[in-house]
Amino acid sequence: MNPADIAAAEAIMGIEYTEAERALMLDNLEDQIRRARIRRGVDLGDAPPASTFDPRLPGFAMPHGRGALRLPPVTAPLPQGDTDIAFAPVTHLAHWIRTGALTSARLVEIYLDRIAVLDPKLNAFATVTPDIARAEAAAMDALTLQGISLGPLHGVPYGLKDLFDTRGIVTGWGGEPYADRVPDTDAAIVGKLRRAGAVLLGKTSLGALAYGDLWYGGRTRNPWNTSEGASGSSAGSASATAAGLCAFAIGTETLGSIVSPSERCGTTGLRPTFGRVSRAGAMPLAWSLDKVGPICRTVGDTGLVLSVLNGPDLSDRGSIAAPFHWDATASLDGLRIGYIPDAFARAATDADRAALETAKSLGLETIEVSLPALPYESLLDVLFAEAAAAFEDLTLSGRDDTLTWQDAPAWPNAFRKARFLSAVDHVQLDRLRYRTMQAMDELMTGIDVLIGPWRGADMLIASNFTGHPCLHLRNGFSDQPTRSPGALGGGTPLPTGGPPHRVPHGISLWGNLFDEGPMLSVGRALESAFDVHTIRPEI
């Protein structure tokens, strides 16, 4: 190494030293490189970082001493047609199974038939598990005949994003290097869903290593326009749910991976507060950002599924014990909804502004709020660094070249460039993240729910880095030409041309930390007012 090497590195790092300073650094740098190489020679396995992210600021008080879920009773009779049954809410399906009007076995066959016919057009399932589904459904029906119910998801079939470990079933993470990966154990939420009576239909596709909608099986498609992708990375979970191939699905979000495919496919996606749901046994992308949540067709279903997923787990160092409380029968009286006027001026569509007017018509107190001007986009480098660390061996071994990428920028390039930002910069980014936590706390003080366009990059980035929950639901439709996959961080996808297609449009709600209930209540009221959530895609 010589001073010219250091000077070249400075250009990449965006800093500048003097010739004398470079000369003094030579010996120290050799030691630093030596220590780094020694550390890279150690296989860290699945060890998480010693430092963990906690979204709670000093003085935070956990809302609700006890968890409780209260949903309105189901009175709708079982439909005669299989298609109507397939698209019914989870709450209805569970009620019909519990009362004997429907068997889990029949419901499984309905979904397996739909998968056989429609999934070749959608590419939403990486693996279908018919034998497992039939066996689990038979077991649930046997318990039902004995008057035994395992819980609110008893006998209800679901799809699981293929980054959660399933014992004996391929869990390929969407990437070629892992396409034959078969885990020996189940992820924590898989066991939790099984104990609640849910029936596994199969593993839903995800963009390679949780990026976009392109994976080693091809591109997952949007049921409303199969010429375009479903967006990602929870592409298969959103596509399958929107197309009625399962009752609900599980997704994950690090930065838009539940919200973005829910927007594209017209599903209702719930990203819970960071730490609420265990990630043990899930592919780590960014330990301080990854979150697990349901993708459904109604707001009520997301709350029901989250009530099952909720709970602390010692095997997840980011797990936080928190009660989940939602009374869907309670009045909206007293709830305050905030909005950022600038977001509705800059990034909004007419449908976004109409959604705000609908929210105002609910009789809620409406309050203008603001998000301070901070360089939120800079926080993306935290994600890139954590992801590069999670997949360091993939990068250093050169196996990242086996990944098929058609969308730029791709993960491998992000992993590589992450190595050229200094540790000092990352400490400063961590401090910026704390400032962002303070900014979000100030914004949410005095309101129960925030409404806004999902495309507002500031809120998408800020709320993911602070751990605040988000609910995205359909509020209408728009005529759009076929769109490109879009950019990481919520960039608006560019049209690729062709005739327009009638596709869904959604709006986002954000709630206070560990207090998703008000957000769900407002979402449920908006869902009823919009009255578009039951419209189905014609594939």
Side-chain angles (χ1 to χ4, degrees):
M1 176 177 292
N2 57 55
D5 294 327
I6 299 175
E10 290 167 23
I12 297 175
M13 306 295 286
I15 56 176
E16 186 174 351
Y17 297 128
T18 67
E19 284 292 341
E21 289 167 337
R22 291 173 192 140
L24 288 170
M25 291 170 65
L26 287 174
D27 290 344
N28 285 337
L29 274 175
E30 292 287 1
D31 280 344
Q32 180 171 294
I33 294 169
R34 177 182 58 81
R35 291 192 298 268
R37 285 175 172 162
I38 291 172
R39 196 277 307 154
R40 290 172 196 155
V42 176
D43 182 2
L44 298 176
D46 59 358
S51 300
T52 58
F53 175 68
D54 191 325
R56 298 169 291 185
L57 288 168
F60 175 83
M62 186 67 71
H64 310 296
R66 296 178 59 189
L69 175 70
R70 180 177 299 173
L71 296 171
V74 175
T75 58
L78 178 71
Q80 292 187 353
D82 286 354
T83 300
D84 291 335
I85 294 174
F87 278 95
V90 174
T91 49
H92 289 49
L93 296 173
H95 170 76
W96 295 328
I97 291 172
R98 184 171 58 252
T99 58
L102 175 68
T103 65
S104 179
R106 179 186 174 191
L107 187 55
V108 160
E109 295 304 327
I110 289 173
Y111 285 130
L112 289 176
D113 287 347
R114 292 183 63 82
I115 291 170
V117 172
L118 298 177
D119 194 56
K121 304 174 185 178
L122 298 176
N123 208 16
F125 276 88
T127 303
V128 183
T129 55
D131 292 342
I132 291 173
R134 289 176 176 130
E136 291 183 350
M140 292 306 102
D141 288 337
L143 290 174
T144 300
L145 289 174
Q146 299 173 47
I148 299 171
S149 174
L150 296 185
L153 297 179
H154 183 99
V156 178
Y158 76 102
L160 180 69
K161 187 173 181 178
D162 194 34
L163 55 64
F164 291 98
D165 283 353
T166 41
R167 184 170 61 87
I169 304 169
V170 170
T171 302
W173 300 351
E176 285 87 346
Y178 310 99
D180 297 321
R181 179 180 176 275
V182 180
D184 296 326
T185 58
D186 287 325
I189 68 160
V190 174
K192 185 167 283 192
L193 286 163
R194 183 182 297 117
R195 290 189 294 275
V199 172
L200 179 66
L201 283 170
K203 309 295 289 294
T204 52
S205 59
L206 69 152
L209 311 186
Y211 185 105
D213 51 31
L214 183 67
W215 57 294
Y216 57 76
R219 190 179 301 283
T220 300
R221 302 290 172 173
N222 177 10
W224 301 88
N225 173 13
T226 55
S227 296
E228 68 181 12
S231 186
S233 66
S234 303
S237 292
S239 178
T241 302
L245 307 189
C246 55
F248 69 95
I250 302 298
T252 64
E253 174 152 330
T254 304
L255 188 70
S257 286
I258 287 176
V259 172
S260 184
S262 289
E263 164 70 16
R264 180 67 66 93
C265 298
T267 50
T268 305
L270 174 56
R271 182 190 82 212
T273 303
F274 177 88
R276 183 181 279 288
V277 180
S278 174
R279 304 162 303 172
M283 182 201 87
L285 181 63
W287 292 275
S288 75
L289 286 159
D290 297 341
K291 312 159 199 77
V292 180
I295 295 179
C296 304
R297 289 184 289 269
T298 71
V299 173
D301 286 353
T302 65
L304 176 64
V305 176
L306 182 57
S307 72
V308 172
L309 298 178
N310 181 63
D313 182 5
L314 291 176
S315 58
D316 177 0
R317 284 178 52 80
S319 179
I320 296 172
F324 173 67
H325 183 94
W326 182 36
D327 183 355
T329 66
S331 167
L332 298 181
D333 291 348
L335 291 183
R336 299 152 298 180
I337 188 167
Y339 71 98
I340 302 173
D342 186 52
F344 282 94
R346 287 187 299 109
T349 64
D350 289 342
D352 295 323
R353 287 182 279 272
L356 176 60
E357 293 307 311
T358 301
K360 291 179 178 179
S361 73
L362 298 178
L364 304 171
E365 182 181 358
T366 309
I367 301 171
E368 293 186 8
V369 295
S370 62
L371 189 64
L374 290 171
Y376 300 107
E377 190 175 1
S378 297
L379 293 171
L380 294 178
D381 288 318
V382 175
L383 165 56
F384 297 148
E386 290 195 35
F391 289 97
E392 179 181 62
D393 179 65
L394 187 69
T395 302
L396 298 184
S397 67
R399 290 185 300 132
D400 55 347
D401 292 332
T402 66
L403 289 163
T404 300
W405 294 99
Q406 297 174 12
D407 307 332
W411 270 144
N413 288 331
F415 298 163
R416 296 175 194 130
K417 75 176 181 181
R419 293 184 169 273
F420 294 111
L421 193 64
S422 74
V424 174
D425 286 310
H426 278 288
V427 171
Q428 300 298 64
L429 285 172
D430 205 38
R431 298 175 71 195
L432 173 62
R433 188 173 188 175
Y434 194 82
R435 285 282 303 275
T436 302
M437 292 166 66
Q438 292 174 316
M440 276 293 294
D441 183 67
E442 182 178 348
L443 182 152
M444 296 300 296
T445 298
I447 63 172
D448 301 290
V449 182
L450 179 74
I451 187 172
W454 82 278
R455 295 176 187 83
D458 283 354
M459 272 305 298
L460 179 71
I461 295 174
S463 64
N464 264 291
F465 276 87
T466 61
H468 282 74
C470 179
L471 176 72
H472 191 81
L473 66 152
R474 191 193 312 176
N475 73 317
F477 294 86
S478 63
D479 294 322
Q480 298 278 353
T482 297
R483 295 161 290 184
S484 64
L488 180 70
T492 302
L494 297 175
T496 59
H501 295 261
R502 194 72 168 163
V503 293
H505 182 281
I507 195 76
S508 282
L509 302 175
W510 293 268
N512 280 291
L513 295 173
F514 299 104
D515 199 13
E516 288 87 350
M519 179 181 73
L520 290 166
S521 291
V522 172
R524 191 165 178 273
L526 286 172
E527 177 180 78
S528 177
F530 297 146
D531 195 24
V532 294
H533 63 287
T534 59
I535 300 174
R536 306 167 188 168
E538 296 180 4
I539 309 171

